[in-house]
Amino acid sequence: MATEGRAKTAEQQERSQKQVFIVGSKGIPANYGGFETFVEKLTQHQKSSQIRYHVVRMSDQKGRFEYNGVNCINIKVPPMGPAKAVYYDLAGLEYCIQYCKNRPWIQNPIFYVLACRIGPFIAPYKRRIQQLGGTLYVNPDGHEWKREKWSVPVRRYWKFSERFMVKYADLLICDSKNIEQYILEEYKQYHPKTTYIAYGADTHPSRLRDDDPKYLDWMSKRGLRPNEYYLVVGRFVPENNYLTMLQEFMRSNTKKDFALITNVSRHFLQQLQEKTNFQKDSRIHFVGTVYDYELLKKIRENAYGYFHGHEVGGTNPSLLEALATTDLNLLLDVGFNREVAEDGAVYWTKQQGSLSHLIDQADHFTPEQIHQLGKKAKQRIHQGYTWDFIVDQYENLFLR
């Protein structure tokens, strides 16, 4: 009887809430990854009790559990190379549709698919979603089809898939105004309905003090000194322009170090070594990954400057985190980055000499110049990129 009572209570609650199913992130709790961070923060900062989130997770075992007040659903995914993500999205969407079908009291559910990986298969799923009275929202992410890590056939598939996701989506939620404009122009024959909601960033300083033993020990082991290193944090992929950053840093006259926090892959690292011989430059330190959030924030806060070389994608979480914590940010001059930072950063191009010259200039910026850049960067975050603001926008959209 008690079990039956709990089931009725759950049903009554679901009747009164908007059910939102999120498919396409690796899941929560999050480590690195833009979509994973987004889902973590969206649910962590949830304000409205009128929304019930269901998040599918990539896992090696089946099951369900609660986290951040979310119904987390494990989807067991076999190792399949690039097809793994496609299988996962389809299996996750299938589960969510069946979940609603088995609970007819769920009214007008929202299915929010992150990225455009399942376009060739989406039409029958869209029909089933419509039969449930549901809507299909899609986040088109960035230009996945431009990423050099994929082979040419895979990149063609991503582009082909994107077209069908745009065609069948009831709404495309773009995290960048540049991406929104691209969708509207590239696929105008489908008359896509779009809206713009960015990612967010935490604005509180690190909870670690400058003299915290954890931070000092990390710095000591890697031969770094506060305010005497340039920093980059991001995925270790060619389109983030590690080659240009390494070459240009080596051309510069700076006496400061260059710390790279990234999950190094042996193949790409070997390519960089062959092209740059960076291992002969004692200023360059590949320091591995840092999953301790407060430690990473402290490392960002005490960097002299931050390099951002991302050129594929929308609003990048690592850029937002840099603007929120590091005063001096040196960004690749592309639309995505300028849209976010505006005049709160300085910019470089991939042309030889551009970044190295900027580094030499930045080394001689006065403390007041750096402070003013940092002030403008933090204003940009407070104006439109706090998680409070982003969560408000999403909840208003889901409940509209």
Side-chain angles (χ1 to χ4, degrees):
M1 292 294 290
T3 303
E4 186 180 335
R6 283 196 297 271
K8 281 187 176 179
T9 303
E11 177 184 333
Q12 288 165 355
Q13 191 170 10
E14 285 194 324
R15 281 181 185 276
S16 66
Q17 292 174 307
K18 172 63 76 173
Q19 307 295 313
V20 178
F21 296 83
I22 300 178
V23 177
S25 73
K26 291 186 179 70
I28 51 176
N31 282 325
Y32 285 153
F35 281 140
E36 290 69 42
T37 301
F38 158 68
V39 176
E40 175 94 32
K41 299 299 182 181
L42 177 69
T43 56
Q44 186 183 86
H45 294 269
Q46 181 175 351
K47 301 174 186 180
S48 175
S49 60
Q50 298 176 56
I51 299 173
R52 168 68 161 164
Y53 289 111
H54 308 259
V55 176
V56 295
R57 304 175 71 252
M58 189 180 290
S59 180
D60 56 3
Q61 58 187 6
K62 294 180 180 179
R64 282 168 55 190
F65 64 95
E66 290 277 324
Y67 175 81
N68 277 358
V70 175
N71 177 26
C72 298
I73 304 148
N74 285 340
I75 302 295
K76 189 174 181 179
V77 183
M80 303 169 67
K84 184 177 181 179
V86 176
Y87 176 95
Y88 161 64
D89 283 3
L90 291 172
L93 190 54
E94 177 66 35
Y95 182 98
C96 295
I97 290 172
Q98 284 297 331
Y99 185 95
C100 293
K101 193 174 179 181
N102 295 337
R103 294 162 178 80
W105 59 83
I106 294 178
Q107 299 293 308
N108 310 118
I110 292 172
F111 299 85
Y112 187 19
V113 179
L114 307 175
C116 294
R117 293 181 285 254
I118 55 173
F121 315 97
I122 197 62
Y125 288 93
K126 173 64 183 294
R127 285 194 293 271
R128 292 167 66 194
I129 288 169
Q130 286 177 319
Q131 289 165 5
L132 291 167
T135 49
L136 175 63
Y137 291 177
V138 173
N139 186 313
D141 197 13
H143 298 315
E144 188 69 25
W145 47 273
K146 283 187 176 180
R147 295 193 187 277
E148 292 182 32
K149 69 175 182 176
W150 302 120
S151 65
V152 171
V154 171
R155 287 163 73 176
R156 284 178 182 157
Y157 171 83
W158 292 142
K159 180 65 172 169
F160 179 73
S161 182
E162 178 183 83
R163 178 160 64 92
F164 284 97
M165 293 301 284
V166 171
K167 180 179 178 180
Y168 286 99
D170 292 304
L171 178 68
L172 293 129
I173 304 174
C174 305
D175 59 71
S176 156
K177 291 175 183 174
N178 277 260
I179 288 290
E180 183 178 29
Q181 195 59 38
Y182 157 76
I183 292 292
L184 291 170
E185 291 176 1
E186 181 78 3
Y187 301 107
K188 58 188 173 184
Q189 71 270 32
Y190 301 132
H191 308 289
K193 185 180 178 185
T194 65
T195 191
Y196 162 68
I197 306 179
Y199 284 126
D202 282 323
T203 53
H204 69 81
S206 173
R207 293 184 174 89
L208 300 183
R209 302 184 314 274
D210 285 346
D211 61 353
D212 190 288
K214 181 192 290 187
Y215 167 67
L216 294 178
D217 182 60
W218 188 92
M219 293 284 286
S220 175
K221 286 179 177 176
R222 287 148 186 87
L224 299 173
R225 295 164 296 157
N227 207 43
E228 289 296 327
Y229 59 94
Y230 288 94
L231 178 68
V232 68
V233 181
R235 287 193 299 172
F236 195 55
V237 290
E239 60 268 17
N240 289 352
N241 285 295
Y242 283 92
L243 176 61
T244 300
M245 289 188 290
L246 286 168
Q247 287 175 329
E248 291 296 305
F249 183 85
M250 292 172 70
R251 288 190 183 105
S252 77
N253 298 311
T254 186
K255 299 293 191 292
K256 302 185 191 304
D257 292 309
F258 181 16
L260 299 96
I261 296 180
T262 184
N263 51 339
V264 170
S265 68
R266 186 177 299 175
H267 177 68
F268 186 37
L269 185 68
Q270 189 174 345
Q271 286 183 336
L272 292 175
Q273 286 175 330
E274 290 170 357
K275 291 176 180 177
T276 67
N277 283 320
F278 72 80
Q279 65 274 21
K280 295 181 180 178
D281 192 324
S282 62
R283 300 172 298 174
I284 295 171
H285 307 262
F286 278 85
V287 297
T289 53
V290 179
Y291 291 117
D292 184 317
Y293 186 73
E294 296 301 329
L295 175 59
L296 181 58
K297 187 170 276 194
K298 179 55 65 177
I299 295 164
R300 287 181 178 278
E301 287 173 357
N302 285 345
Y304 181 79
Y306 184 84
F307 298 149
H308 190 74
H310 293 51
E311 65 174 323
V312 175
T315 303
N316 186 267
S318 65
L319 173 57
L320 297 179
E321 289 161 8
L323 294 171
T325 53
T326 310
D327 284 343
L328 175 57
N329 291 280
L330 297 80
L331 315 183
L332 178 63
D333 194 357
V334 293
F336 304 119
N337 297 337
R338 274 200 181 267
E339 170 191 324
V340 176
E342 293 184 347
D343 60 351
V346 291
Y347 296 89
W348 49 276
T349 70
K350 292 165 71 172
Q351 184 177 349
Q352 183 173 323
S354 174
L355 177 55
S356 57
H357 180 63
L358 186 58
I359 293 169
D360 290 339
Q361 284 183 316
D363 272 1
H364 295 95
F365 283 177
T366 65
E368 180 58 22
Q369 283 177 294
I370 295 173
H371 172 72
Q372 287 302 319
L373 282 167
K375 185 177 176 182
K376 290 176 182 177
K378 289 167 181 61
Q379 283 173 348
R380 285 294 297 142
I381 298 300
H382 282 287
Q383 283 167 2
Y385 296 98
T386 64
W387 281 116
D388 242 19
F389 179 65
I390 302 307
V391 168
D392 275 342
Q393 288 186 301
Y394 266 101
E395 291 189 355
N396 290 337
L397 176 65
F398 292 150
L399 294 171
R400 195 158 61 205

